[in-house]
């Protein structure tokens, strides 16, 4: 199985889907000649031409809105938001339009658009190049939201997103782009949207997370194993719709649940995961549900101590896991 | 104008007598529909109506200048004249007004005036204004990519023309010279706010900044609108890019059935503008051209009334959607077999 960077896997998914389906095209700021500010689309314009890998005006609502129009016509657009922080001008197009097109037309029209956006901090990006906006879109029925943690999942989920008949927000973690390398199955590889994935089997505590923090949890679990603490780790993979059965099964496995995400705590995905568990199996729990998340401040500062304070890391995750195990 | 000059104007534009008369019939249909629905609301039969009275002449004329078998349409909420002209029926509009299951625009989900009809290429719309402009641009982009000879036609009010999506969509269309026709129905009011508090300049002039043609046209002059849209369509198909048309008109009705317009404008002002009504003007034109008469007018009114009565009765008696159907069509395949 070839080994590649997370960013390469995203690029490969776009390349292969564009080769397979002439209706797939990419649009966004700097995606063409430059190949994206992170090089996510590097080489695609050379292969597919300017029309299918289109540099757009600096205009996020138009990027989303034009993609939505093209999707309603029957195309399969992939709209890139340069940073998820700059996605907010497009929020009306995403929430009022893309999410509601099938519903409001009573299934007459549909909107098979993919909106890719890099999330997360740890790159000294300051307030507006570091945010995790999942919770802004989470809770808007009609949208699907995915957030891969590995190269294989990045490829498989993006392929699934492009083929999906409904709008999908693809939140790729920019810290993972080159930090995370891994094997990716050769040929067609599709990861089903709506299904969570057990990354590690364990019996003492259950960690539920998505995106970058899963790497911290996996490292911490190895260390805790030496202390005799066995961690069960669930990757949500899809944030909307949440895999309720997968969440409950993982929680039942140990009866002690820690939910981790970089997005801030209040109103985050963790709140909903926690509520699902509490509604269905409160009396099966052996400890209160815990959450380890970004602090409730507007966004991450650029100064190194501030960024470090905001960001999760292996040590913070390990401490929270140990504390829960000892409860 | 002499009889001969009047006589030739529609033919010079390539419209036969039958087509000109057909346009007028559509304008009358839209007007009578609007008046009927206002009555239905006042009678308590329906909850809400948002009217297009005073704007029908431009709406119908624009539709006639388009290819009603190929082009894509993104009308805004006052465009009854437009959607009737591109194929919606009075019965369909009534089903929407009554929010019945069979309503083709939304299955009784959306407010009336939020059109959508895929078979007719009327693209589904929402209430946050002007979001449809980037959609029109996206459709034109897709059509161009697929090599299809068609245009997208989008309308909006002068108030809406101040939204970011208008500017973002226009600029995108200008950069890529896309086959989009943008028609601003400048009806002088955005609910209660008059145009002088809405616009510092002219909507049409903004086209200059986007690098395409912009023109102001008398929206009460159906043939002037027809000529402008027809030329815009030819330009678009020849690769000449978008056109912005600012159609000047007057909203004769209150904003909606929830609005008391005399709180912000006078009866005299409304009456003065009623005298400039484009539908009445087009009727006079046809009569002067000798292709329309008072008898034909009476026959037409009776025929529309009959169709309207039937449509009203049908929609009134049609079933509402089942309560459970509220859960359907969030995502593909989530409804029971045959659920619509």
């Amino acid at each position: 199985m070839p080994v590649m960077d997370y960013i390469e896997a995203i690029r490969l998914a776009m390349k292969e889907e564009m080769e397979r389906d002439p209706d797939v095209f990419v649009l966004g700021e700097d995606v063409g000649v430059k190949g994206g500010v992170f090089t996510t689309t590097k080489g695609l314009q050379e292969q597919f031409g300017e029309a299918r890998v289109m540099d757009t005006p600096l205009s996020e609502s138009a990027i989303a809105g034009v993609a939505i129009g093209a999707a309603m016509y029957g195309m399969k657009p992939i709209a890139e938001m340069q940073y998820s922080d700059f996605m907010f001008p497009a929020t009306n197009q995403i929430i009022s339009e893309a999410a509601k097109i099938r519903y409001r037309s009573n299934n007459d029209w549909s909107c098979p658009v993919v909106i890719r956006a890099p999330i997360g901090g740890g790159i000294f990006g300051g307030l507006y190049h570091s945010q995790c906006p999942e919770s802004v879109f989470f809770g808007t029925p009609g949208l699907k939201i995915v957030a891969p943690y590995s190269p294989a999942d990045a490829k498989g989920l993006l392929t699934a997103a492009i083929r999906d008949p409904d709008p999908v927000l693809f939140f790729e973690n920019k810290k993972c782009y080159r930090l995370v390398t891994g094997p990716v199955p050769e040929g067609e590889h599709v990861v089903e949207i709506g299904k969570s994935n057990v990354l590690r089997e364990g019996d003492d505590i259950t960690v539920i997370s998505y995106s970058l923090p899963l790497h911290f949890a996996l490292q911490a679990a190895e260390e805790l194993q030496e202390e005799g603490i066995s961690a069960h780790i669930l990757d949500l993979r899809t944030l909307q719709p949440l895999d309720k059965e997968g969440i409950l099964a993982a929680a039942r496995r140990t009866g002690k649940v820690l939910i981790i995400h970089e997005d801030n705590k209040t109103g985050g995905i963790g709140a909903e995961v926690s509520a699902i568990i509490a509604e269905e199996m409160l009396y099966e729990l052996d400890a209160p549900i815990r959450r380890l998340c970004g602090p409730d401040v507007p966004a991450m500062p650029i100064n190194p101590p501030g960024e470090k304070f905001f960001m999760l890391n292996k040590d913070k995750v390990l401490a929270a896991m140990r504390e829960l195990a000892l409860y | 104008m002499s009889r001969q000059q009047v006589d030739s104007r529609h033919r010079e534009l390539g419209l036969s007598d039958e087509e000109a008369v057909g346009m007028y019939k559509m304008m009358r249909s839209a007007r009578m529909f609007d008046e009927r629905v206002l009555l239905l609301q006042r009678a308590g039969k329906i909850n809400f109506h948002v009217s297009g009275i005073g704007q029908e002449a431009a709406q119908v004329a624009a539709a006639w200048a388009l290819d009603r078998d190929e082009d894509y349409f993104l009308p805004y909420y006052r465009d009854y004249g437009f959607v009737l002209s591109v194929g919606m029926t009075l019965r369909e509009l009534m089903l929407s007004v009554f929010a019945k299951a069979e309503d083709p625009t939304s299955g009784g989900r959306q407010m009336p005036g939020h059109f959508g009809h895929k078979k007719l290429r009327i693209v589904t719309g929402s209430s946050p204004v002007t979001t449809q402009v980037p959609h029109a641009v996206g459709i034109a982009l897709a059509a161009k990519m697929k090599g299809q000879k068609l245009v997208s036609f989008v309308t909006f009010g002068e108030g809406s023309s101040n939204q970011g999506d208008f500017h973002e969509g226009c600029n995108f269309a200008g950069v890529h010279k896309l086959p989009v026709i943008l028609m601003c129905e400048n009806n002088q009011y955005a609910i209660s706010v008059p145009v002088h508090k809405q616009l510092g300049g002219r909507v049409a002039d903004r086209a200059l900044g986007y690098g395409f043609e912009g023109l102001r046209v008398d929206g009460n002059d159906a043939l002037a609108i027809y000529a402008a849209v027809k030329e815009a369509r030819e330009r678009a198909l020849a690769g000449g890019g978008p056109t912005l048309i600012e159609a000047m008109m007057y909203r004769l009705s209150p904003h909606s059935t929830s609005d008391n317009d005399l709180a912000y404008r006078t009866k005299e002002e409304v009456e003065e503008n009623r005298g400039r009504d484009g539908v009445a003007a087009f009727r006079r034109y046809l009569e002067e051209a000798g292709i329309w008469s008072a008898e034909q007018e009476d026959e037409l009114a009776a025929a529309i009334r009959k169709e309207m009565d039937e449509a009203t009765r049908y929609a009134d008696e049609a079933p509402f959607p089942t309560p459970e159907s509220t859960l359907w069509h969030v995502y593909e395949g989530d409804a029971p077999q045959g659920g619509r």
Side-chain angles (χ1 to χ4, degrees), chain A residues 22-25 27 50-75 89 92-93 96-110 140-145 164-167 240-241, chain B residues 72 74 101 103-110 116-119 121-132 134-139 141-143 145-146 148 150 164-165 167-169 171-172 175-176 325-334 339-340:
Chain A
D23 290 341
V24 178
F25 72 103
L27 71 167
E50 276 186 49
R52 290 183 68 197
V53 186
M54 177 181 280
D55 279 321
T56 65
L58 214 167
S59 212
E60 281 81 9
S61 189
I63 294 170
V66 167
I68 289 166
M72 285 196 280
Y73 182 85
M75 303 295 283
N92 191 37
Q93 282 292 344
S96 301
E97 304 300 317
K100 294 175 175 64
I101 280 167
R102 184 183 298 282
Y103 188 80
R104 77 184 186 209
S105 68
N106 202 26
N107 212 28
D108 197 21
W109 290 89
S110 63
T140 297
L143 295 178
K144 296 181 180 179
I145 308 174
D164 200 275
D166 286 299
Q240 187 164 288
Chain B
Y72 276 65
L74 298 97
D103 153 34
T105 70
S106 76
R109 288 177 170 184
Q110 292 227 71
H117 203 304
K118 195 167 184 187
K119 208 171 64 198
R121 297 165 322 287
I122 299 172
V123 181
T124 172
S126 66
S127 303
V129 294
T130 336
T131 52
Q132 71 273 23
H135 301 171
V137 177
I139 287 166
L141 174 71
M145 288 172 88
K146 302 300 272 183
Q148 298 296 313
L150 59 86
D165 271 355
H167 301 281
E168 294 200 19
N171 183 60
F172 197 113
V175 168
H176 292 281
S325 71
T326 300
L327 301 175
W328 298 353
H329 309 312
V330 180
Y331 300 105
E332 189 193 63
D334 61 6
R340 241 210 76 105

Side-chain angles (χ1 to χ4, degrees), chain A residues 3-4 34 74 79 81 87 143 194 202 220 237-238 249 251-252 271 283 325:
Chain A
V3 170
M4 64 184 78
K34 185 173 166 65
M81 298 285 147
M87 199 168 171
L143 295 178
R237 270 183 171 167
T238 294
R252 278 203 175 94
Y283 297 114

Side-chain angles (χ1 to χ4, degrees), chain B residues 122-260:
Chain B
I122 299 172
V123 181
T124 172
S126 66
S127 303
V129 294
T130 336
T131 52
Q132 71 273 23
V133 169
H135 301 171
V137 177
I139 287 166
L141 174 71
K144 191 179 172 185
M145 288 172 88
K146 302 300 272 183
Q148 298 296 313
K149 282 279 177 200
L150 59 86
V151 306
S152 63
F153 174 83
V154 57
T155 61
F156 46 89
E158 81 284 357
S160 300
S161 75
N162 300 317
Q163 289 282 0
D165 271 355
F166 169 77
H167 301 281
E168 294 200 19
C170 282
N171 183 60
F172 197 113
V175 168
H176 292 281
K177 283 200 173 306
L178 296 175
V180 192
I181 302 170
L182 304 113
M183 188 169 93
C184 175
E185 298 187 26
N186 185 338
N187 66 11
Q188 312 299 312
Y189 283 93
I191 303 188
S192 68
V193 178
V195 69
H196 69 271
K197 288 184 181 163
Q198 196 69 242
L199 301 168
R202 292 155 39 118
V203 173
D205 291 345
R206 293 175 180 176
L208 183 67
Y210 307 123
F212 54 77
E213 187 81 13
L215 62 157
R216 186 179 257 194
V217 183
D218 179 0
N220 288 323
D221 182 346
L223 294 177
I225 293 288
Y226 176 85
V229 175
K230 195 175 174 202
E231 192 188 319
R233 188 172 191 280
E234 283 160 8
R235 179 166 37 242
L237 290 184
T243 303
L244 173 61
I245 297 168
E246 182 181 14
M248 305 305 290
M249 53 186 73
Y250 188 87
R251 194 193 77 208
L252 290 169
S253 302
H255 163 67
S256 73
T257 48
S258 308
D259 178 37
N260 169 23

Side-chain angles (χ1 to χ4, degrees), chain B residues 302-315:
Chain B
I304 296 172
R305 202 168 296 122
K306 185 162 176 277
E307 192 186 344
M308 190 98 67
D309 288 344
E310 193 283 324
T312 308
R313 188 191 51 75
Y314 184 90

Side-chain angles (χ1 to χ4, degrees), chain A residues 14 18 24-27 76-80 114 116 158 162:
Chain A
M14 289 190 279
M18 289 178 79
V24 178
F25 72 103
V26 178
L27 71 167
K76 305 283 281 177
I78 306 170
E80 177 177 305
V114 177
R116 289 181 34 243
L158 184 52
I162 294 166

